[in-house]
Each structure stands twice: as structure tokens, then as C-alpha cells.
Amino acid sequence: MSLGHTILGLLEPGPRHGYDLKRAYDERFGRARALPYGQVYATLSRLLKNGLVEACGTEQGEGPERKRYVITEAGITDVSRWLTEPESPASYLQSTLYTKVVLALMTGRPAREVLETQRAEHLRHMRELTRRKLAGDLADQLLCDHALIHLDADLRWLELTASRLDELAGKVRA
Amino acid sequence: MSTAPITAAAPDAGADPRAEGALLAATDVRKGFGLTQALDGASLEIGPGELVAVLGASGSGKSTLLHCLAGLIRPDAGTVSYRGQDLAGLSDSARSALRRADFGFVFQFGQLVPELSCLENTALPLRLNGMRRRPAEERAREWLDRLDVADLADKRPGELSGGQGQRAAIARALVTGPAVVFADEPTGALDSLNSERVMALLVTAARESGAAVLLVTHDMRVAAYADREVVVQDGRTREPGRGR
Ligand SMILES: Nc1ncnc2c1ncn2[C@@H]1O[C@H](COP(=O)(O)OP(=O)(O)O)[C@@H](O)[C@H]1O
Ligand SMILES: [Mg+2]
């Protein structure tokens, strides 16, 4: 994800201090992983250099987190372009799982176990996400659903591959 | 309903030892319909308050297993025991009394009586157990409220959306405080948002009341609401997480 654009977006409604930005980010988008302050600072320096934000005064005290930042016109144009452009859909054609299955078949290891171990792990993780979703607010629900729907797609692929494993084994060993 | 075959062996012979602590257990159950062997050695046990997903392809025998466990059909061979008691040893009337008192049912659709209001439908299991109308309807209303459909109490099933109907069906399944709820594809006819909402309500309500749930589904996102899974394939069961 583009941290620069996210920070610009958080600055658009009004100026914020560096630390304030980190807090706003963590609250909305950092549920899986909080943002290290160093990364906020590095990103702000880059945005500053590119003229997408400006410093607008400093509070009493020491350190970069005391600086206030405001988005520039160029910054608004930039975040606006990012929001309206579609993300490129991930191609999914590089698959570690597929590679593992083929290598297991090539080396005479139990490929079906590779699939079953993965299936169990996926399902375990899906149960965990579902519990979290049940206890969570709308943001948790939407984030967990995003993960759950992707894991569900993987499970369907695992099932399909399991049912064509003999066919694949024939091709791989040919 | 078919009659049980006469078996010479003692009822406990060959029973799965793990079935002993279980609330409800099927052990090596077989059931045929004409030439179709719907169940061919299926075993499953569920503990108090446990939520078990029953997965498997269409036609694999999931519903037949559920019906055997609920005492709705009698297996050709194998045993089904509830709280340690073999269901085959009960008379038909004792079995239906057990179903009314201890079991709740949610199906894909069509389980509500079309001529009755939502409230009357929800109160029905209590009325059948001999409760008077007023207290039965009071409790039914509380359950409709827990499932967020109290405002639909006076509507007929035909006036409800799919998701609303399933909520009323869940209220009806839980109103008697059953020990086991049998849910056969409860979200099978719902869109994904309604399916999520109905599952969240079903799981929360069952957990709060301590009911065990047997959840038949072929949707892994629905199965993820359960504590564990049993897979049915060609009438046989397997439990991937338990190494068998
Ligand atoms: N009452 C019945 N009469 C004849 N065949 C049946 C009956 N019930 C189920 N079957 C058959 O038994 C098999 C298992 O059915 P079922 O338990 O309904 O599968 P599932 O619920 O997994 O889709 C299927 O081949 C089905 O056609
Ligand atoms: Mg079925």
C-alpha cells in the first residue's frame, strides 16, 4: 500500500502533527500492524521534498513530532489521482502453493499431504478471523472479511487441485 | 420410517470409546435408500455446547447423517446415542418427545408454518411441549427480539425475506432451550451479507444458551464459525483435524 498517499489523505481534512498522524493511521488502518514512527517521519520528509506537504509552524518542545504539516494543492491533486485510479489486480500467477505441489510430485514426496496441511492451516486461520469478526466492530468485520474471502478462494483451489492431483502427477513425471 | 434390523450383538459392541463422553454420537451408521447407500459407516460425536461443521459434496450423505442423529430416521446398522442412551431403544413417541424437548431444527427454508404468524411459529415448539399460550408467546417474543426481528412478530412467513425467515426459524429452534440445534444449510438460500448476519446471530445465540450446533454447509466461510469439522464423503466420515 502507498503510505505516502495514505498520509496525504489523512492530512487533507486539516493540518496535523507527525505523532498525531501516526495515531490517526494506527486507529484506522493499523489494526494488523501499528506504523513505526520512523516510517511516518521518513515519508513526511519525502512528501516535503516533493512539495506535496508543507510545514506550518512548530509547537513548544523538541523533536520532529512537534512539527505541524499541511497538504499543498499538488498534494491534493496527487491523492485525488491515486483514489480514482483502480489498483492493478494481483496477478496470482506466482503461487508458492503450486510450486510446492509440483516439487513434491517431482521428488516423490506426498503431495496430497502438502495440500491437506495447507487446508488445515487455512481453516484454522479462518476460524480465528471469524472469532475476531464476531467480537469486532465494522472495521474489523470488513478487514476480516477481506482476508476470509481470499482464504476461501485458496481453499477452493486446494480442493480443485487435490481432485486433479493424479492428473498433475502424470504430467509432472512425464 | 424403516424398521431397525435385528442384531444379535450387544448395543455397545464396537462403539467408539470417544462416544461415551459425548452428548450425541453416531457410531458406524449405515443407511440405504433402495440401491443408494447414503451412509456407509459414518461416525460423529458432539459435546455439550460444541459447534461442529459437517462438510461434503452434494449427495455425500450429510442430511441423512443429520436425520439419523436427530432420530428422524432409523439407521440400518450402527448406533446413535444421546446422553449415553441408544435412540433405537426408545419408542417412537419417546423419540419425538425427546426431539421436541431437547433438539432444535433450522433448515434451508420452508420450516415455518405458512398459516401462522412469526410469533405463533416461534411459540409453536413450546405449545407442543404443553406450555400455555401466553407464557409461550412471551418467551417467543423475547427470542424474536434477540434475533432482531421482534417487529415482524405479526407477519406471516410469506411476507418475510429469506434472511428474516431464517432469523425467525433460529428463534423457533432455540426457544425451548435445546441441548442440540441441527442446522442443515441454514444459509443456503441467502446472499452473502444475510448469510453472515444469520450465522453471527445463530452462533451468538447458541453460545449464550449453551446449545451444541451441528451445522451442515458446503461454504467454508460458514464452516469457519464452527469449532471443528467433519467431512462426509460417499457416506463415510473423516475428521481432517484429528488425523482420521
Ligand atoms: N428419502 C430418500 N429416498 C431416496 N434416496 C435418498 C433419500 N434421501 C437421500 N437419498 C439419497 O442418499 C444420498 C445422500 O443424500 P443426502 O444425505 O441428502 O446428501 P447431502 O445432504 O450430502 O446432499 C443421495 O444420493 C440421495 O439422493
Ligand atoms: Mg442435504
Side-chain angles (χ1 to χ4, degrees):
Chain A
M1 190 170 62
S2 166
L3 183 56
H5 288 119
T6 310
I7 284 184
L8 285 177
L10 288 171
L11 279 175
E12 197 174 334
R16 287 176 190 268
H17 295 97
Y19 193 74
D20 191 24
L21 266 173
K22 174 194 153 41
R23 268 211 322 249
Y25 180 95
D26 288 347
E27 192 188 313
R28 283 185 193 274
F29 310 120
R31 285 170 191 245
R33 195 177 68 96
L35 193 58
Y37 186 73
Q39 226 174 312
V40 183
Y41 182 61
T43 307
L44 281 169
S45 311
R46 181 169 52 78
L47 297 174
L48 207 54
K49 202 177 74 199
N50 294 338
L52 302 174
V53 301
E54 280 169 358
C56 67
T58 312
E59 255 183 22
Q60 294 290 346
E62 290 290 299
E65 68 272 20
R66 293 293 176 181
K67 251 191 208 151
R68 258 157 78 92
Y69 297 87
V70 64
I71 192 168
T72 62
E73 275 307 314
I76 292 173
T77 309
D78 199 48
V79 75
S80 168
R81 190 188 318 123
W82 183 64
L83 286 179
T84 47
E85 265 172 12
E87 289 292 305
S88 160
S91 81
Y92 295 114
L93 285 174
Q94 284 283 336
S95 163
T96 309
L97 288 179
Y98 175 76
T99 307
K100 277 192 172 183
V101 172
V102 170
L103 284 177
L105 288 171
M106 281 174 67
T107 57
R109 288 187 172 85
R112 202 168 293 277
E113 272 174 34
V114 171
L115 295 171
E116 276 174 16
T117 305
Q118 194 61 53
R119 181 184 182 280
E121 185 60 16
H122 263 55
L123 197 53
R124 194 194 57 71
H125 190 47
M126 285 177 78
R127 288 199 187 100
E128 199 177 297
L129 287 166
T130 303
R131 274 195 294 277
R132 189 170 147 191
K133 184 168 86 166
L134 274 173
D137 58 12
L138 181 60
D140 280 318
Q141 288 167 18
L142 290 174
L143 281 169
C144 289
D145 275 335
H146 183 254
L148 281 163
I149 289 167
H150 279 83
L151 291 166
D152 186 35
D154 283 350
L155 280 180
R156 275 183 266 165
W157 180 83
L158 289 167
E159 210 166 282
L160 188 71
T161 306
S163 62
R164 304 190 70 175
L165 200 57
D166 293 339
E167 199 183 332
L168 180 63
K171 300 260 185 245
V172 164
R173 289 185 191 130
Chain B
M1 196 174 285
S2 64
T3 48
I6 300 151
T7 45
D12 281 349
D16 187 333
R18 295 193 325 178
E20 279 169 26
L23 179 64
L24 178 65
T27 308
D28 204 19
V29 164
R30 285 156 213 276
K31 176 73 194 176
F33 298 103
L35 291 175
T36 309
Q37 195 63 34
L39 292 179
D40 193 15
S43 300
L44 183 161
E45 66 277 345
I46 184 164
E50 211 185 1
L51 229 145
V52 176
V54 180
L55 301 164
S58 171
S60 58
K62 304 180 296 293
S63 295
T64 306
L65 177 58
L66 210 72
H67 294 157
C68 287
L69 281 160
L72 288 163
I73 56 178
R74 197 186 281 245
D76 299 337
T79 54
V80 175
S81 61
Y82 176 65
R83 297 193 194 275
Q85 179 165 38
D86 189 343
L87 291 192
L90 298 177
S91 67
D92 281 355
S93 65
R95 243 195 331 271
S96 26
L98 171 70
R99 271 199 306 275
R100 284 203 309 267
D102 285 33
F103 296 168
F105 296 89
V106 185
F107 301 111
Q108 189 167 337
F109 42 58
Q111 65 260 40
L112 300 173
V113 182
E115 293 79 17
L116 300 181
S117 72
C118 243
L119 184 68
E120 290 163 335
N121 261 295
T122 307
L124 190 60
L126 296 170
R127 301 281 290 136
L128 290 172
N129 283 345
M131 193 185 274
R132 298 173 68 87
R133 186 189 179 103
R134 186 165 305 210
E137 292 194 347
E138 243 165 58
R139 196 180 300 172
R141 202 177 290 277
E142 284 166 25
W143 272 99
L144 288 174
D145 190 37
R146 288 176 77 162
L147 288 150
D148 280 340
V149 281
D151 51 328
L152 304 174
D154 299 325
K155 295 244 193 285
R156 299 272 172 99
E159 301 173 89
L160 306 180
S161 72
Q164 292 169 338
Q166 286 310 75
R167 290 175 198 215
I170 292 169
R172 194 178 76 162
L174 285 160
V175 73
T176 56
V180 188
V181 173
F182 298 88
D184 196 347
E185 314 237 10
T187 61
L190 302 181
D191 61 42
S192 92
L193 179 58
N194 271 301
S195 162
E196 293 291 342
R197 295 217 159 123
V198 161
M199 278 313 299
L201 287 165
L202 171 61
V203 167
T204 308
R207 295 252 193 247
E208 280 171 13
S209 64
V213 181
L214 264 169
L215 173 67
V216 171
T217 182
H218 53 249
D219 181 341
M220 295 308 287
R221 277 157 63 205
V222 170
Y225 281 90
D227 302 319
R228 62 184 171 90
E229 55 163 337
V230 173
V231 177
V232 185
Q233 194 175 355
D234 300 328
R236 277 185 287 268
T237 43
R238 128 183 114 71
E239 296 185 47
R242 289 180 165 187
R244 54 177 209 177

XYZ file of all heavy atoms in Angstrom, chain B residues 57-59 61-64 67 108 184-185 216, ligand 2:
85
model
N -19.594 -32.860 -0.375
C -20.245 -32.570 -1.642
C -21.737 -32.883 -1.565
O -22.180 -33.622 -0.686
C -19.596 -33.391 -2.743
N -22.473 -32.322 -2.497
C -23.899 -32.607 -2.579
C -24.112 -34.102 -2.820
O -23.421 -34.697 -3.639
C -24.455 -31.765 -3.720
O -25.764 -32.140 -3.991
N -25.030 -34.701 -2.070
C -25.294 -36.135 -2.235
C -24.357 -37.039 -1.455
O -24.442 -38.259 -1.549
N -24.242 -37.479 1.766
C -24.891 -38.111 2.916
C -25.022 -37.229 4.149
O -25.402 -37.705 5.220
N -24.753 -35.928 4.018
C -24.782 -35.021 5.167
C -26.161 -34.966 5.823
O -26.290 -35.113 7.036
C -24.371 -33.598 4.744
C -23.020 -33.510 4.068
C -22.685 -32.075 3.676
C -23.607 -31.461 2.642
N -23.520 -32.086 1.308
N -27.197 -34.749 4.994
C -28.544 -34.616 5.569
C -28.999 -35.931 6.182
O -29.621 -35.941 7.248
C -29.539 -34.164 4.501
O -29.206 -32.864 4.065
N -28.667 -37.029 5.528
C -29.056 -38.335 6.068
C -28.396 -38.554 7.438
O -29.048 -39.012 8.380
C -28.648 -39.457 5.083
O -29.191 -39.152 3.802
C -29.159 -40.802 5.549
N -30.236 -36.474 9.930
C -31.542 -37.055 10.253
C -31.398 -38.270 11.165
O -32.234 -38.489 12.038
C -32.294 -37.412 8.967
C -32.660 -36.203 8.156
N -32.916 -36.247 6.803
C -32.793 -34.899 8.514
C -33.192 -35.033 6.370
N -33.125 -34.192 7.388
N -32.838 -25.152 5.342
C -32.530 -24.133 4.344
C -33.691 -23.156 4.158
O -33.516 -21.965 4.085
C -32.164 -24.808 3.027
C -31.617 -23.857 1.998
C -30.970 -24.603 0.838
O -30.554 -25.750 0.992
N -30.894 -23.978 -0.306
N -29.304 -27.482 8.895
C -28.958 -28.079 7.600
C -28.958 -26.993 6.535
O -30.011 -26.533 6.106
C -29.955 -29.189 7.253
C -29.425 -30.097 6.128
O -28.430 -29.729 5.466
O -30.021 -31.174 5.916
N -27.783 -26.542 6.140
C -27.597 -25.459 5.171
C -28.468 -24.249 5.521
O -29.221 -23.764 4.677
C -27.943 -25.937 3.752
C -27.328 -27.296 3.437
C -26.441 -27.297 2.205
O -26.132 -26.206 1.693
O -26.036 -28.390 1.798
N -24.585 -28.165 8.923
C -24.277 -28.707 7.600
C -24.101 -27.548 6.622
O -24.940 -26.653 6.566
C -25.407 -29.626 7.090
C -25.176 -29.993 5.624
C -25.493 -30.886 7.930
Mg -28.548 -32.120 2.244
